């Protein structure tokens, strides 16, 4: 489904201090990890629960990303 909807998974590693990661967390109103966020151009970020199920992701993607 991710390929069909052109979803790209990104991961930020906080093993070492990184000001860009800290700034994005602050922008999202978060300070701890993990933080899962769906970013769709033109929409507000959707912060998801920390634990994700396949069923939740399918529903989220179908709701937030229109079919092409």
């Amino acid at each position: 489904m991710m390929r069909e909807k052109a979803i790209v998974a990104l991961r930020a590693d906080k093993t070492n201090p990184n000001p860009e990661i800290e700034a994005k967390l602050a922008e999202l109103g978060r300070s701890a990890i993990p933080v899962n966020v769906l970013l769709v151009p033109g929409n507000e970020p959707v912060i998801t629960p920390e634990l994700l199920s396949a069923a939740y992701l399918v529903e989220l993607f179908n709701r937030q990303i229109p079919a092409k």
Side-chain angles (χ1 to χ4, degrees), residues 28-41:
L28 294 168
R30 298 291 191 259
S31 59
I33 55 172
V35 176
N36 300 307
V37 182
L38 178 63
L39 299 170
V40 178

Side-chain angles (χ1 to χ4, degrees), residues 4-63:
E4 294 166 6
K5 292 193 175 269
I7 297 170
V8 177
L10 302 174
R11 184 177 109 191
D13 184 351
K14 271 188 63 164
T15 303
N16 297 310
N18 184 314
E20 290 180 44
I21 294 171
E22 296 300 329
K24 191 61 175 178
L25 286 171
E27 181 183 315
L28 294 168
R30 298 291 191 259
S31 59
I33 55 172
V35 176
N36 300 307
V37 182
L38 178 63
L39 299 170
V40 178
N43 294 348
E44 290 293 315
V46 177
I47 299 174
T48 68
E50 291 176 6
L51 299 176
L52 304 170
S53 69
Y56 173 84
L57 290 174
V58 167
E59 189 276 327
L60 177 67
F61 295 160
N62 284 330
R63 181 172 25 100

